[in-house]
Amino acid sequence: MKLQRLRVEQLRQFREPFVLDNLQPGLNLIHGPNESGKSTLVRAIRAAFFERYRSKSVQDLSPWGDSGAAPTVDLQFEHQNTRWHLVKSFLKRTRCDLTVGNATFSEDDAEEQVAELLGYEYSKKGGSKAAHWGIPGLLWVEQGTGQEIEQSVEFAGDHLKSALTSLVGEVASSGGDAVIDKVAAERAVLLTKTGQPTGELRQVAEAREEQQAAVAQLQERVDHYQEQVDRLESVAEEHQRYQQERPWEAAQQQLDTAKRNLAEAERLEAEQRQESETLQRIEQQHQMASRALLQLQRADEQLAERDRERQQAGQALQAAESQGPGVVAELRAATQAFQAADGQLKAARMQENRSRLLRDQSRLAERQRSLTASLDKAREYQALVAAAREQAVRNRIETAAVAGLKNTERALREERIRSQAVATRLSWDLQPQAHLLLEDQALSGQGEQQLLDAARLVIPDIGTITVSPGGEDLAATRRKLVSLEQRFDSELAELGVGSVDLAEQRKAAFDAAERQRKHAEELLRSVAPSGVPALEAELADIVGELEALSQQIEALPKSDSEQQIAPLVEAEARLAHAETQLKAAEQRQRQHQSALLMAEQTRDAAQREWQRLHDDTHSDKRQAERAELQARLTQLQAEMTQKQGSLAERRVKIEQARPDILRQDIDRYQKTITHLQQAQEAREREIREARVRLEAWGAEGLEEQLNETRAAWEQSERRYQELSRRAKALDLLLTLLTEQRQELTRRLQAPLQKHLDHYVSLLFPQAKLEVDEQLQPGRFSRGTELGHVAELSFGAREQMGLISRLAYADLLREADRPTLIILDDTLVHSDQARLDNMKRILFDAANRHQILLFTCHPEKWQDLGVPPMDLQRLKQQGGVVV
Amino acid sequence: MPRFLHTADWQMGRTYSRFEPEDSAALVEARFQAIETLAQLATERQCDAVLVAGDVFDAQTVSDRTIRRVFNATSGFAGPWVMLSGNHDAALVESVWTRAQRLGAVPENVHLALQPGVITLETQGLAVLCAPLTQRHTYGDLTEPFTQYQTPEHLVRVGLAHGGVQGLLAEGIDATNPIAEDRAQTAQLDYLALGDWHGTREINPRTWYSGTPEPERFRNNDAGNALIVSIEGPGDAPQVEVVETARYQWQQWRLSLAVESDLEQLIGRLEALPPATVLDLRLSGEITLAGEDRLNQALSIAEARFRSVRCDRSELQLAPTEDDIAALHADGYLGTVIDALRERQEGEDGESARDALAILASLLKDDNREVQP
C-alpha cells in the first residue's frame, strides 16, 4: 500500500485546504516545529480510516471555535496496482466516498471496504478506540507509545493470525479456542489446575470415604452382634449342661468324706497332746522327788560343816581376848606424850608473840624520826614559797602588755623617722641677734625644725611668713604620729611604769619570783607530797601506835630464862606427831573392842546353827520322809516308761492319717464347689446381660442400617466413578487440545521469528528476540544477558517495539496485506549509536514498506538519504509540493 | 379338601444398593405390597392357610418398623400363617423372631415355626411338619426327623423346610442346609413346601420351591410367583397352581451393537417392555455419533418410562463416521484431536479417550446448534 496524496480541509489548524502530495513509496520524512500540524495530519489519516463518517465523537477535528465546519480528509493510495481514493467529511457534512479502480462505494460500504483492506474494525458506538484499530494500530505508532506493543499485537491478533494462516497454509481451528475454554471450564468443575479433585468430585470422594467408614463400622457392629448371639448360644448351652450334671454335688461328697477323716485324725492329735502333757507332768514330779532326796542327803554334809564353823569361832574369840592388855597400855603412853607436847607448844607461842611486838616497836620509832625530819624540811620550804609568791605579787606585770608597749614604741619610732623624712625642713642660721618667731616659738642661731603643719614664721619687723608643708602624706603622718604617741603614753600609764626599760625590769623580776616559787613548791612536794597537814597527822598516828605497843609488851609475862624453850615450829611438829600417835592408839583400842564383840557373836551363832541342824537331822520324821521319797521315785519311773510307749504308738497312727493333706483336700473341694457355683452364676449373669444387650442392639436394626448405608456408599462410589471418569476424559481432552493448539502456534511463530531475527541482528549483532505463543515479542537474550522485553530500558523497549512492528509489517506484506507505517516523533529516547542502527533498519524496511516519519528534530534524521519535507514551508506554499 | 398358599423368601429388610435411592425405595415398597398381594390372594382363593418356607426376613437385625410392617401386611388373610425360620432369619437364641415376639408384633393367627416339630391345624385339616433353621448354617438334613413325626391320619401331612435339595439345584446355592430329594416319599408327606431357591421350581409332584413373590435380582429363573396347593385328602396327589404375584419385571440384557439395525432392534425391544420394568443394560461393540444420539434419546425415554434403567456403555466404542465429523465442523486442530481420540479408543486408556471423544462431540454439536439456527 502506498499513500500518494493527503488533502485536509477545515480540520483543526488547517482551515484552508492543505495538500501533502508526492509521497514516496519508501521513506518520507515530514518535519516541522511543534504545533506546525504534524500531529493533526496523523490524526487526519487515523480519522479517515478509523472514525465513522457519521460519528459525533470527532468534535476535536473541527477548527477551534468553528462549530459549523465540515472537517474533510481526502486520501489517495495504491495497493496491488489498484488506485484507491477515499474522501471522508465529518460533522456538518457527513459523507464517505471511495473509488477503488473503477468501482465506487459510498457511506458504510465504503468504510467496510477500507476496514477489510487494512484489517481493523469500527467502533459500534462513539469514537474509535485502540481495541478496534487492528493492524493499523500496530503499524501506526503514536507519539510516545512506541514501546507499548503488547496490547497492539493483541488487538491485531485475529488479523495477524489470519494473515499467518494464509502464509503457512494451515487451518487454525475456527472454534477451537472456544472449545478449549469450554473444556477447561468443564474440567474446572471437577478438577483443580493441578489435577486435584474439587467440587462435586471431591464431595463425592469424601462422602464415599465417610460412608465406607460407616459401613465398616456397622459391619463391625453386626459381626459383633452375631458373635454375641453365638456366645449367648454357647453359654446358654453350657449353663444348661452344668445345671443337669451338677458337678458341685460330687465335689460336696468328696468334701464330706475328707472332713470326716480329718475329724478322726484331729481326735488322735488331741489325745496325743493330752497324753504328752501327762507325761510332762510325771516327768516334772520325778524331777521334784529326785531333787528332794538330794536335799536330804545334803543336810548331813551341812551338819559337819556347821560343827567345823562352831569350833573355828571359839578359837577366834580366844585369840581376840588375849590381845586386850597390850592395847590398853599403848593408849595410856600415847595420852601422856600428847599432854607434854601441848604444854611446850603454848610456851613457844608466847615467846613468839613477844618478839614480834618488840620488832614493831623499833620500826615505828624509826618511822617517827624520819617523819619529824621531813616535817621540819617541809615547813622550811613552805616559807620559801610564801616569800617567792610575795615577790611575784609585787612585780606582777602583764607580759602581753609589755610586748604591746614595745610594739607601740617601735611603731612610734618608725613613724617619727618617717615624719622627719617627709616634713618640711626648716633650717635656719640666723645672725646672732636675730631671731624669729615660729609659731610663737623663738628661733635663733642655727637650727633645724621639721614642719608638719603650716607654721607661721614671724620675722620681727619684717612680717610673717607662713610655711605650709605640702602634700597630704604629711598631714596623715602627723595624725598617725600623734595617735601613736597617745597610745604609747596610755599604755605606759596602764602598766604603771615610766618607761619601757622599767617595764622590762619589772617583768624580769616577776619571772624570777615565779621560777623561785615553782622550785620551792617542787621541793615541798618532794618532802610532803600530800601536804604538811597530812604529814603532821601521820606523825600523830605513829606516836599513838607506839604507846599502845609499849603497853602490850608490859602486859606480857616475863619469860623463864632458865627453861629452854623450843622454837614454835618444832613444838607444833611435836604436838602433831603426839596427836597422830594418840589417835592410832585410840583406833586400835576401838577395833579390838569390836573384834572381840564380833567373835563372841559368831561363836554364839555357829553354836546355834549347829545345834538346830543337829536336832533336825536326827529326827524320825526326816527318816520317814527319805524312805517315802525313794518309793515315789521308783513308781514315777514306771509311769513314764508306759506313757512314752503309748505316745509313740499313736504318733504312727497320726502320721498315717496325714491331717495336713486332709486339710488341703478340704480346702480344694470347697474351692472347687465355690468355683463351679460361681461359674454357673456367672453364666446366668452373662446370659441375662447378653439378652438385654442384644435386645437393645437388635432394636437398632443394625443390618438394615448396614444395608442402607452400603447402598448409599455404592451410590456414591458409582457417582464417584462416573465423575472421575468424566474428569479423566476432560483432562485428556484438554491436554490434547492444548497440545495441538500449541503445536499450531509454534508453526505460526516461525515466519514472524524469521523477520524479527533479521532486524534484531541489525540492532544487536549477538542478540535474539523470541516470539511467544501469543505472537508477542517475549524472551530477549544478548550474550549472557537473558530476560523479557518488558524488563528492558525505555529506549531499548521503544527500539524493540519498532523492529517488532517492522517484522509484523514484513509478515503482512508476505501475505499481500497492505502495510503503511506511520511513525510520529519516534525513537526520541535512543542514543546516537542506537539511532544510527535504527536508521539502517528503517532504511532497510523502507525498501519494502512506505514509511511516514513525522518529526520536529529534522537534524537527527538528515542522514536518512531522503529529502525532508518542511511542513512549515509547505503550509506557506499552500501545502502543495511540486 | 385343604388348600393352602405356598410362598417363601420374602427377604424383608433387603435394600437395593445398585439403584438410585428413589428406585430402591420403590422396590423395597413393592416387597411389602407383595405380602399384601399374597394375603389378598389367599383370601380370594379361599385358602385354609399360608405356609412361608423360610427367609421371611433378610437379616436378623432389621428395624422394628420393618418387623411391624411385615406382620401388619399379613392382615389381609385372617386364616393361619405358618412362618418358618430360614438361613437369613434363623431361630437363634436371639433373633428377629424373638424380637418380633418381644415387640408383640406377631398376630395370633401367625404361627412361628422356630423349633422342629409339628404344627397341627386341626380345623384346616393340615399337619405341618416344620424343619426350621436354628443356626445360620447346618450341614445335616433338617428334614430327616420328618420320618419320625407321627401325625393324625385324617390330616394332610405337609412338610415345611428351607434349604437346597441335594444334587438337583445349580451351583451357586449354598451347599449348606441340604435336603434329601426323596424326603416327601421317605417321610410320607403329601406335599413338601420348600424355600431358599428364589425361582419357582418343581422338584417332583410333591416337592416344590415356590420362589420369591417379588423378584429382587436379575436372574431369569421364573421368580415372582406363589403356589396354590390343593390336596383332596391324605395320600392324594397335590394340585399345584402357579400364580404370578410380581409387580416388577427384572430384565438384564447383554447386547453387542455392530450394524445400524442392531440399534433399531434394541430400541424396538425397549419400546416393547412394560413400564414396571427394572432394566440392566450392558452394551458393547461400536456406535456412530448419530447412533449415539439416537441411543441417548431412546434411553432417556426409557428412563422416564421404566422403574429403573441402568446402561453400561464402557465397552461400546464411539466410531464417528466421516459424515459425523463433517457435521461437527471440526476444522483445524480440533480435527487432529478427534483423530487422536479415535485412535486412542483402542489403546490402554481407551475409556477416557472414548469419553473425551463423546464430550468433544457433544460440545461441537452444541456449538453448531448455537450457530446454525
Side-chain angles (χ1 to χ4, degrees):
Chain A
M1 175 183 176
K2 300 287 176 284
L3 186 65
Q4 291 162 328
R5 183 172 182 273
L6 164 66
R7 180 178 178 278
V8 295
E9 188 179 355
Q10 295 185 30
L11 201 143
R12 292 195 183 169
Q13 72 254 61
F14 298 105
R15 289 172 189 263
E16 301 306 315
F18 174 86
V19 179
L20 193 60
D21 205 351
N22 211 12
L23 289 166
Q24 298 304 306
L27 262 171
N28 293 273
L29 181 62
I30 300 146
H31 71 87
N34 289 332
E35 307 204 347
S36 59
K38 289 192 312 291
S39 298
T40 304
L41 289 183
V42 173
R43 170 66 180 138
I45 295 169
R46 287 174 164 274
F49 287 106
F50 295 155
E51 305 292 359
R52 290 270 189 195
Y53 67 95
R54 50 184 153 79
S55 170
K56 299 205 168 35
S57 313
V58 290
Q59 295 296 340
D60 67 299
L61 293 177
S62 300
W64 190 80
D66 185 356
S67 58
T72 304
V73 187
D74 180 336
L75 283 170
Q76 285 181 25
F77 57 93
E78 176 260 354
H79 179 59
Q80 290 184 330
N81 299 324
T82 308
R83 293 179 64 83
W84 293 58
H85 185 197
L86 173 69
V87 183
K88 230 178 200 181
S89 294
F90 300 94
L91 301 172
K92 268 297 163 199
R93 183 162 52 88
T94 54
R95 207 172 157 72
C96 179
D97 291 299
L98 174 70
T99 314
V100 183
N102 296 324
T104 57
F105 303 90
S106 63
E107 319 291 277
D108 289 1
D109 279 353
E111 287 188 332
E112 290 304 328
Q113 286 290 328
V114 179
E116 172 81 29
L117 174 69
L118 266 71
Y120 64 88
E121 289 94 35
Y122 289 103
S123 164
K124 291 215 166 47
K125 202 180 166 197
S128 183
K129 293 183 189 64
H132 308 122
W133 296 343
I135 288 173
L138 180 61
L139 300 185
W140 300 353
V141 186
E142 285 184 285
Q143 212 167 352
T145 61
Q147 76 288 350
E148 292 163 4
I149 186 169
E150 196 170 314
Q151 213 166 33
S152 306
V153 173
E154 197 184 313
F155 295 148
D158 288 345
H159 300 284
L160 280 176
K161 273 188 192 149
S162 77
L164 286 170
T165 306
S166 68
L167 271 185
V168 295
E170 182 84 38
V171 183
S173 176
S174 50
D177 290 3
V179 170
I180 287 180
D181 289 346
K182 280 185 188 167
V183 172
E186 290 283 317
R187 182 186 176 277
V189 170
L190 298 174
L191 293 176
T192 63
K193 285 224 168 79
T194 55
Q196 297 303 311
T198 186
E200 195 191 346
L201 181 58
R202 205 177 82 186
Q203 286 166 11
V204 171
E206 284 167 2
R208 124 192 122 121
E209 272 169 32
E210 277 168 27
Q211 285 158 347
Q212 190 175 11
V215 165
Q217 199 192 353
L218 277 168
Q219 183 63 58
E220 200 180 320
R221 292 194 60 195
V222 167
D223 291 348
H224 193 48
Y225 174 85
Q226 289 178 352
E227 275 169 29
Q228 291 276 322
V229 173
D230 293 347
R231 170 76 190 157
L232 175 60
E233 186 111 37
S234 72
V235 172
E237 193 191 325
E238 211 173 18
H239 179 261
Q240 201 175 359
R241 185 158 53 78
Y242 273 84
Q243 209 59 35
Q244 284 165 358
E245 289 172 6
R246 308 185 78 77
W248 49 86
E249 286 176 359
Q252 186 66 47
Q253 280 172 6
Q254 284 172 312
L255 175 65
D256 293 346
T257 311
K259 273 182 175 167
R260 275 196 303 279
N261 292 342
L262 180 64
E264 175 62 20
E266 277 174 345
R267 191 185 55 75
L268 284 175
E269 276 179 331
E271 277 175 15
Q272 186 80 342
R273 238 182 346 262
Q274 215 170 2
E275 195 161 271
S276 70
E277 273 166 25
T278 312
L279 176 62
Q280 242 169 15
R281 223 165 26 245
I282 293 168
E283 276 169 353
Q284 277 170 6
Q285 284 170 6
H286 186 266
Q287 266 175 20
M288 275 159 62
S290 309
R291 222 176 288 136
L293 194 60
L294 211 62
Q295 270 171 359
L296 287 180
Q297 283 164 355
R298 281 223 325 248
D300 292 345
E301 289 163 20
Q302 272 180 350
L303 185 62
E305 179 69 15
R306 293 276 187 280
D307 192 29
R308 256 194 321 277
E309 281 171 7
R310 182 174 60 115
Q311 284 168 17
Q312 275 172 4
Q315 282 164 8
L317 181 60
Q318 278 171 7
E321 280 168 349
S322 69
Q323 283 173 355
V327 172
V328 170
E330 192 189 352
L331 180 60
R332 198 181 302 123
T335 306
Q336 282 168 358
F338 177 76
Q339 281 165 351
D342 192 41
Q344 280 185 340
L345 179 60
K346 275 178 186 151
R349 273 193 184 137
M350 196 144 55
Q351 182 66 26
E352 175 70 21
N353 197 18
R354 183 183 179 82
S355 59
R356 184 177 54 79
L357 289 175
L358 286 174
R359 271 198 310 278
D360 285 356
Q361 192 179 33
S362 67
R363 182 177 53 81
L364 281 173
E366 179 60 27
R367 177 68 182 152
Q368 187 185 23
R369 270 190 305 280
S370 144
L371 276 178
T372 311
S374 292
L375 193 56
D376 291 346
K377 275 267 173 64
R379 280 184 185 135
E380 186 185 331
Y381 294 149
Q382 213 168 17
L384 277 177
V385 168
R389 192 169 285 154
E390 196 259 343
Q391 193 67 31
V393 167
R394 220 171 19 226
N395 291 305
R396 173 170 302 277
I397 192 164
E398 287 291 325
T399 311
V402 174
L405 181 67
K406 282 170 82 177
N407 276 341
T408 309
E409 188 205 15
R410 193 169 54 246
L412 187 60
R413 203 163 49 236
E414 284 169 1
E415 202 60 39
R416 276 181 185 141
I417 292 166
R418 194 176 297 131
S419 71
Q420 281 167 4
V422 298
T424 302
R425 190 176 292 124
L426 185 70
S427 31
W428 63 88
D429 187 2
L430 301 179
Q431 296 291 333
Q433 255 62 36
H435 60 85
L436 298 170
L437 266 170
L438 181 64
E439 288 288 307
D440 304 335
Q441 185 193 349
L443 303 179
S444 61
Q446 287 179 332
E448 197 180 79
Q449 189 163 355
Q450 283 159 340
L451 294 181
L452 293 171
D453 281 323
R456 234 165 11 106
L457 186 66
V458 181
I459 306 170
D461 304 327
I462 294 185
T464 305
I465 298 168
T466 307
V467 182
S468 301
E472 280 179 26
D473 276 355
L474 193 59
T477 305
R478 200 170 57 84
R479 277 195 304 277
K480 196 167 182 188
L481 193 59
V482 173
S483 146
L484 280 172
E485 277 167 356
Q486 283 171 358
R487 200 164 106 193
F488 183 61
D489 290 344
S490 84
E491 279 175 353
L492 277 180
E494 217 170 275
L495 285 173
V497 288
S499 70
V500 173
D501 286 342
L502 281 176
E504 291 271 1
Q505 280 168 19
R506 207 160 127 190
K507 186 174 176 284
F510 175 70
D511 288 349
E514 278 291 284
R515 273 194 306 276
Q516 192 76 34
R517 180 180 60 83
K518 278 183 185 151
H519 179 65
E521 279 173 355
E522 201 71 31
L523 287 172
L524 180 60
R525 260 199 303 281
S526 70
V527 293
S530 307
V532 176
L535 216 53
E536 285 167 348
E538 192 183 352
L539 190 58
D541 286 352
I542 288 172
V543 172
E545 271 181 55
L546 272 175
E547 267 175 42
L549 267 179
S550 299
Q551 281 167 9
Q552 276 184 347
I553 292 167
E554 285 302 314
L556 284 173
K558 294 278 181 208
S559 61
D560 199 348
S561 55
E562 293 156 34
Q563 194 179 349
Q564 191 66 39
I565 296 165
L568 180 62
V569 177
E570 197 179 320
E572 280 175 340
R574 274 187 197 152
L575 180 64
H577 178 70
E579 196 179 359
T580 310
Q581 290 292 321
L582 180 58
K583 275 182 184 161
E586 284 169 349
Q587 178 71 17
R588 269 195 294 281
Q589 198 257 338
R590 274 196 305 277
Q591 280 175 349
H592 176 252
Q593 286 295 329
S594 113
L596 198 58
L597 218 59
M598 187 71 80
E600 273 172 7
Q601 282 172 358
T602 306
R603 199 261 337 260
D604 292 350
Q607 176 64 33
R608 277 196 304 278
E609 282 284 314
W610 172 84
Q611 190 61 52
R612 193 178 51 79
L613 201 58
H614 179 265
D615 295 350
D616 204 24
T617 312
H618 290 86
S619 70
D620 295 343
K621 185 184 164 204
R622 184 55 50 90
Q623 293 302 329
E625 198 178 343
R626 188 181 296 228
E628 190 193 348
L629 274 175
Q630 290 286 4
R632 185 162 166 73
L633 270 175
T634 313
Q635 184 207 342
L636 284 172
Q637 187 61 50
E639 277 179 31
M640 272 162 64
T641 310
Q642 185 262 323
K643 290 289 177 205
Q644 278 162 356
S646 156
L647 277 170
E649 202 177 319
R650 196 183 294 109
R651 190 176 303 121
V652 173
K653 276 190 198 163
I654 291 170
E655 275 169 9
Q656 281 169 354
R658 297 301 298 268
D660 51 340
I661 300 298
L662 282 173
R663 280 190 202 95
Q664 287 180 10
D665 285 348
I666 288 166
D667 192 30
R668 182 159 55 88
Y669 292 133
Q670 274 172 341
K671 281 182 178 159
T672 304
I673 291 164
T674 311
H675 289 158
L676 285 168
Q677 287 173 340
Q678 279 177 351
Q680 189 68 346
E681 281 163 17
R683 277 181 211 105
E684 280 168 24
R685 203 161 47 242
E686 189 178 342
I687 289 166
R688 240 182 356 260
E689 286 168 0
R691 280 192 195 283
V692 171
R693 204 160 44 236
L694 288 171
E695 280 173 24
W697 289 353
E700 288 180 46
L702 284 176
E703 279 164 289
E704 201 169 324
Q705 269 187 47
L706 173 61
N707 282 338
E708 281 163 8
T709 313
R710 186 176 281 141
W713 170 39
E714 285 176 16
Q715 188 74 30
S716 297
E717 182 66 33
R718 275 199 305 279
R719 182 70 186 147
Y720 175 74
Q721 293 302 341
E722 281 168 19
L723 288 177
S724 62
R725 247 179 81 172
R726 181 171 168 79
K728 227 168 129 187
L730 284 167
D731 201 40
L732 174 66
L733 188 54
L734 185 61
T735 309
L736 280 176
L737 285 168
T738 315
E739 275 172 11
Q740 289 301 325
R741 189 182 181 285
Q742 281 173 349
E743 175 58 31
L744 181 63
T745 308
R746 270 195 293 281
R747 282 207 295 280
L748 294 178
Q749 283 165 354
L752 179 58
Q753 187 70 53
K754 183 186 77 190
H755 294 294
L756 203 53
D757 289 349
H758 169 71
Y759 291 114
V760 171
S761 68
L762 285 174
L763 187 60
F764 306 111
Q766 302 299 320
K768 183 142 179 65
L769 180 60
E770 289 175 24
V771 180
D772 70 10
E773 285 176 15
Q774 274 69 45
L775 301 179
Q776 298 268 11
R779 241 153 50 111
F780 174 74
S781 59
R782 181 169 48 183
T784 55
E785 199 185 334
L786 192 73
H788 195 271
V789 168
E791 294 159 8
L792 293 170
S793 73
F794 188 89
R797 269 196 290 149
E798 192 183 24
Q799 292 145 20
M800 290 295 172
L802 183 53
I803 62 176
S804 302
R805 290 169 209 272
L806 293 175
Y808 285 120
D810 286 351
L811 197 64
L812 290 163
R813 190 170 178 277
E814 278 185 14
D816 290 332
R817 304 297 290 266
T819 57
L820 168 63
I821 297 165
I822 301 176
L823 304 173
D824 190 0
D825 242 347
T826 190
L827 299 174
V828 292
H829 298 284
S830 300
D831 61 28
Q832 194 55 49
R834 291 279 177 82
L835 193 60
D836 284 347
N837 280 340
M838 288 306 295
K839 283 175 189 165
R840 297 172 71 190
I841 287 168
L842 280 175
F843 195 81
D844 176 61
N847 286 328
R848 296 179 287 281
H849 312 286
Q850 187 183 35
I851 301 174
L852 304 186
L853 177 59
F854 292 87
T855 181
C856 54
H857 303 291
E859 69 283 356
K860 279 192 175 176
W861 301 96
Q862 59 196 0
D863 53 354
L864 263 184
V866 292
M869 298 187 205
D870 187 340
L871 199 57
Q872 202 77 352
R873 195 158 57 82
L874 286 173
K875 268 166 79 181
Q876 284 160 8
Q877 291 174 356
V880 184
V881 178
V882 181
Chain B
M1 183 184 82
R3 178 185 297 150
F4 58 89
L5 192 147
H6 169 197
T7 179
D9 299 300
W10 294 355
Q11 311 292 147
M12 302 311 295
R14 167 163 295 192
T15 51
Y16 299 90
S17 58
R18 69 177 84 185
F19 302 110
E20 297 300 316
E22 181 198 336
D23 298 336
S24 171
L27 293 171
V28 166
E29 205 52 37
R31 301 195 74 76
F32 283 106
Q33 284 167 7
I35 302 174
E36 288 167 4
T37 305
L38 291 173
Q40 199 183 349
L41 184 65
T43 306
E44 282 171 5
R45 302 296 290 270
Q46 297 176 326
C47 289
D48 295 304
V50 178
L51 306 186
V52 191
D55 282 359
V56 169
F57 294 97
D58 192 53
Q60 298 285 10
T61 46
V62 296
S63 68
D64 288 356
R65 183 165 181 269
T66 300
I67 294 174
R68 290 185 193 280
R69 286 193 67 191
V70 166
F71 289 105
N72 288 348
T74 63
S75 63
F77 176 66
W81 296 67
V82 179
M83 293 187 186
L84 185 83
S85 62
N87 56 323
H88 281 266
D89 52 5
L92 305 178
V93 62
E94 168 72 18
S95 69
V96 66
W97 303 108
T98 59
R99 288 181 52 217
Q101 285 166 328
R102 262 204 309 277
L103 287 173
V106 187
E108 277 180 18
N109 61 326
V110 176
H111 303 265
L112 301 184
L114 306 181
Q115 280 167 354
V118 181
I119 292 176
T120 308
L121 302 174
E122 186 68 47
T123 321
Q124 287 76 16
L126 287 171
V128 185
L129 289 71
C130 302
L133 269 76
T134 54
Q135 288 173 326
R136 286 189 198 91
H137 302 293
T138 49
Y139 297 92
D141 187 344
L142 294 175
T143 59
E144 182 81 46
F146 284 3
T147 55
Q148 310 297 323
Y149 293 164
Q150 299 298 316
T151 56
E153 282 187 5
H154 66 280
L155 295 182
V156 168
R157 205 168 141 89
V158 178
L160 190 58
H162 185 89
V165 171
Q166 282 178 302
L168 258 187
L169 297 177
E171 284 174 38
I173 291 296
D174 278 341
T176 52
N177 315 324
I179 294 169
E181 188 192 351
D182 58 353
R183 181 60 62 208
Q185 190 191 337
T186 55
Q188 295 173 331
L189 300 174
D190 293 312
Y191 183 81
L192 177 55
L194 292 180
D196 201 21
W197 180 250
H198 285 208
T200 305
R201 180 154 185 168
E202 178 185 357
I203 303 301
N204 57 51
R206 291 188 186 275
T207 307
W208 285 73
Y209 280 103
S210 67
T212 181
E214 182 67 36
E216 91 296 11
R217 51 180 103 159
F218 297 106
R219 199 175 269 167
N220 297 321
N221 58 2
D222 197 14
N225 300 313
L227 303 179
I228 292 177
V229 182
S230 313
I231 301 171
E232 202 63 45
D236 289 336
Q239 305 291 312
V240 179
E241 183 188 351
V242 179
V243 181
E244 191 179 335
T245 52
R247 171 161 168 73
Y248 292 110
Q249 283 196 22
W250 289 53
Q251 300 284 341
Q252 190 171 47
W253 297 349
R254 302 278 177 266
L255 297 175
S256 175
L257 302 182
V259 293
E260 192 72 17
S261 56
D262 288 343
L263 183 60
E264 295 301 326
Q265 204 176 9
L266 168 62
I267 292 171
R269 283 181 68 184
L270 281 175
E271 283 168 354
L273 283 173
T277 294
V278 176
L279 178 63
D280 180 46
L281 200 52
R282 184 177 296 170
L283 300 177
S284 56
E286 283 185 349
I287 192 164
T288 64
L289 290 182
E292 200 196 26
D293 259 359
R294 290 197 61 200
L295 177 61
N296 285 341
Q297 200 177 353
L299 287 174
S300 175
I301 291 167
E303 275 165 16
R305 257 185 83 209
F306 303 148
R307 177 70 264 163
S308 165
V309 177
R310 292 188 49 76
C311 182
D312 179 357
R313 282 193 261 175
S314 57
E315 285 169 27
L316 183 64
Q317 289 201 347
L318 275 181
T321 61
E322 293 304 320
D323 288 348
D324 284 339
I325 291 172
L328 291 178
H329 300 288
D331 54 355
Y333 60 86
L334 287 182
T336 320
V337 171
I338 289 175
D339 289 343
L341 288 172
R342 280 168 72 185
E343 277 174 35
R344 279 201 189 202
Q345 277 193 98
E346 310 288 340
E348 247 175 66
D349 211 11
E351 187 181 80
S352 292
R354 199 188 61 76
D355 292 347
L357 188 53
I359 292 168
L360 182 54
S362 77
L363 282 176
L364 289 173
K365 271 185 230 160
D366 289 349
D367 266 6
N368 293 337
R369 260 176 230 127
E370 277 170 28
V371 174
Q372 279 162 1

